[in-house]
Amino acid sequence: MALIRIEDVFVAYGTPARAVLAGIDLEIEEGSFVCVLGQTGCGKSTLLRLVLGCEKALRGRVLIDGAEHPQPDRSRGYVPQKYSLFPDKTVLDNITFGPEVSEFGLLTRWTPAYFRRRRQLREEAHDYLKRIGLRESDATKYPHQLSGGMQQRVAIAQALMMRPRILLMDEAFSALDSGTRREMQRLVRQLWADTGTTVLFVTHNIDEALRLGTRVVVLAKESPDAGSRVAMDLAVPDPCEEEQIPLLMRQLEDGVLQAG
Amino acid sequence: MSAGFLLIHAKPSRLWSTGLSWFLFVAVIASYLWVSDARHRENPEDRVTPTVAQMGAGMWKAVMEPAEEDEATGEARGWVDRFAHSMLWKDTRATARRFFISLVLLIPAVILGLHMGLFPFAGAFFLRFVLFFDKIVALSLLPILFIAFGIDELSKIMLIVIGVTPTIILDTFNLTKGVPDEQVVKAFTLGAGDFDVAYRVVLKQIAPRVLNSIRLNLKAVMLFLFAGEMIASTDGLAYRIALLRRHMGMDVIIPYVLWVALLLFLVDFGMRMLNRRLHPWFTEA
């Protein structure tokens, strides 16, 4: 059975209602890396928020492992484009925040078990720091002292500390310059291969979608007033060779154009 | 100096900016001295603009001798003891007590604003009422408060609370609303519960701004406190100022006004330092 099942989902906003998503059907297998591609305003972020549980569909339903999750919870990690780190916590505290807050309540936070566990978590966080390519000295910095790329690295580590089955990334690299972006893509691909997490990655960049995903789903509107549908569903060979990318890119571009 | 020295691009040297920043202080003091001197030459009995020596003598009495309404506590028993029984200390202590009690009572206001901003049902329940309550002119409630709570401490503190609380609640509410949605969602995906989100994520990141908002409202706190003290009180800095007005005791009133300004400045400065110490990550202040 698929890990994420999106069944005939319909979403509309505003009065009078304007359809955003009109009948989306998707099945996402465990362990896949799915990129959702589409132009600005096509509802790709809405789709991600549906899976996250921040939004409710007017019609249809989203099942994760066979159950509906009406609220964001620890089964799905989240890396947004901005505001992904807590500005009042150091890098290390940001990374350990998840396990700490989910394992210890207000009262158990003063027990010896907590301090033991925290030491353990800090070691784990230091390992992550190394894996995502930050220096030891960055551990005590606050998010505003890091560059955008570094912040997103920490945000990914922060989400992965919870070992979520699903990782949702919303335009996570769109604010970065192309060099940093390429590095981040390599890092995420590596982490995905290491952890086996299912990733749903929303982007408007065709090149990025092809370099990251094992599968690219294109959302597009059939007419300006209609909601988006799945215009194309493309399996990307793994590993994807550099020379294949232009061909796939042309294929995707054609798909988007035809739908639009 | 070129002709552009008054324009936006001017870059005054350190000496110039320091000199200019003190100029108005010097000018005000100098013109006061000049007016005072001129008035005293015309009428040596002048009470409106006391000389520096008169203010010094008045303040010396305030610092070293008990208030008129208290009996003298026998002969001098050392400087510290004399100061501890002095008029200034008595007034300052009374006012400070009311001031800090009011500040402590602002904490529930912050908590309420936080909950209104985060929990939709709390927001729906309180927001409209607080918005209306905010528009009530607190001073117009003064007679009602005196009738309802009597003229002792409670009514004065209630005046401050009623006057300042709605502002703090609404400010905290707006700051809470201003926290990006992503932060709340992220916290939930990291396994946080509702109260973790409220107190460990949202409150912690709005805390420096809330403290700044309280700092901005210190003047309002003092305003309501002084109104209460001037109308119904038997001690306190504002009570003394109002009392001395009756026999034109400008030699004490002027130093008292400056003393109040100094105290308020120190509290504000202390809170700013505290803010910087507690929230080293906060970059706006």
Side-chain angles (χ1 to χ4, degrees), chain B residues 62 65-67 85-92 240 244 252 256:
Chain B
E65 281 168 31
H85 288 95
S86 71
M87 178 167 92
L88 183 76
W89 177 244
K90 180 190 171 194
D91 292 337
T92 307
R240 190 70 53 194
L244 289 168
V252 179
Y256 255 59

Side-chain angles (χ1 to χ4, degrees), chain B:
Chain B
M1 192 178 288
S2 75
F5 79 100
L6 281 178
L7 302 182
I8 289 175
H9 289 295
K11 290 189 182 67
S13 71
R14 219 189 145 82
L15 191 69
W16 264 103
S17 19
T18 319
L20 284 174
S21 70
W22 287 105
F23 177 78
L24 281 177
F25 285 94
V26 175
V28 167
I29 292 168
S31 48
Y32 177 85
L33 292 177
W34 182 70
V35 170
S36 166
D37 185 57
R39 288 183 66 116
H40 275 273
R41 236 177 299 155
E42 211 164 275
N43 169 22
E45 295 293 300
D46 180 69
R47 295 184 63 84
V48 179
T49 54
T51 61
V52 174
Q54 282 171 326
M55 283 194 276
M59 245 355 233
W60 180 254
K61 252 184 84 180
V63 174
M64 282 302 149
E65 281 168 31
E68 271 172 43
E69 68 266 16
D70 300 330
E71 307 124 45
T73 49
E75 264 316 287
R77 282 163 297 168
W79 299 110
V80 177
D81 197 50
R82 277 179 75 179
F83 178 68
H85 288 95
S86 71
M87 178 167 92
L88 183 76
W89 177 244
K90 180 190 171 194
D91 292 337
T92 307
R93 205 181 44 190
T95 299
R97 194 170 150 265
R98 293 175 191 130
F99 179 77
F100 285 114
I101 289 176
S102 319
L103 281 196
V104 170
L105 289 178
L106 291 182
I107 295 174
V110 172
I111 307 283
L112 180 62
L114 174 75
H115 281 250
M116 281 165 56
L118 272 177
F119 297 87
F121 272 93
F125 190 75
F126 287 110
L127 183 61
R128 194 180 293 272
F129 184 74
V130 176
L131 277 173
F132 169 75
F133 201 75
D134 186 49
K135 299 295 168 288
I136 293 179
V137 179
L139 281 176
S140 68
L141 285 178
L142 201 55
I144 302 176
L145 291 175
F146 284 151
I147 293 167
F149 298 112
I151 55 167
D152 56 359
E153 295 299 285
L154 186 59
S155 56
K156 267 160 270 170
I157 288 169
M158 283 310 285
L159 176 69
I160 303 171
V161 170
I162 291 171
V164 185
T165 298
T167 320
I168 300 291
I169 294 176
L170 292 176
D171 244 356
T172 314
F173 172 77
N174 284 332
L175 287 171
T176 307
K177 284 276 177 204
V179 172
D181 224 23
E182 285 93 332
Q183 295 267 303
V184 175
V185 174
K186 180 101 194 193
F188 277 123
T189 63
L190 293 176
D194 282 33
F195 283 87
D196 295 314
V197 170
Y199 291 91
R200 293 193 67 185
V201 175
V202 176
L203 182 61
K204 274 197 78 178
Q205 61 178 277
I206 63 169
R209 291 191 185 88
V210 169
L211 220 59
N212 275 343
S213 152
I214 291 176
R215 270 179 56 208
L216 286 176
N217 279 295
L218 285 182
K219 275 200 84 161
V221 170
M222 284 306 264
L223 186 74
F224 291 120
L225 178 55
F226 270 39
E229 281 188 355
M230 280 192 176
I231 293 167
S233 186
T234 53
D235 53 7
L237 293 163
Y239 159 78
R240 190 70 53 194
I241 292 173
L243 185 74
L244 289 168
R245 181 196 60 85
R246 289 188 211 147
H247 37 91
M248 298 236 302
M250 287 291 267
D251 56 336
V252 179
I253 290 179
I254 294 174
Y256 255 59
V257 168
L258 296 177
W259 171 240
V260 172
L262 177 70
L263 286 179
L264 199 57
F265 173 79
L266 287 178
V267 171
D268 186 61
F269 185 74
M271 282 178 75
R272 206 168 77 205
M273 287 296 114
L274 185 77
N275 212 354
R276 208 173 287 171
R277 177 65 60 84
L278 286 179
H279 312 290
W281 52 271
F282 187 62
T283 47
E284 278 170 39

Side-chain angles (χ1 to χ4, degrees), chain A residues 2-66:
Chain A
L3 180 60
I4 306 174
R5 280 175 70 104
I6 298 169
E7 294 178 349
D8 189 30
V9 157
F10 184 90
V11 177
Y13 286 142
T15 39
R18 271 179 65 96
V20 178
L21 298 176
I24 303 277
D25 270 303
L26 270 181
E27 287 199 359
I28 294 170
E29 299 298 329
E30 177 133 37
S32 56
F33 196 133
V34 180
C35 287
V36 179
L37 188 64
Q39 282 161 339
T40 310
C42 76
K44 53 192 192 302
S45 286
T46 306
L47 185 68
L48 184 119
R49 289 170 60 81
L50 279 167
V51 178
L52 198 52
C54 289
E55 210 142 330
K56 188 106 188 64
L58 279 182
R59 201 182 70 207
R61 51 188 195 156
V62 177
L63 296 176
I64 288 150
D65 212 12

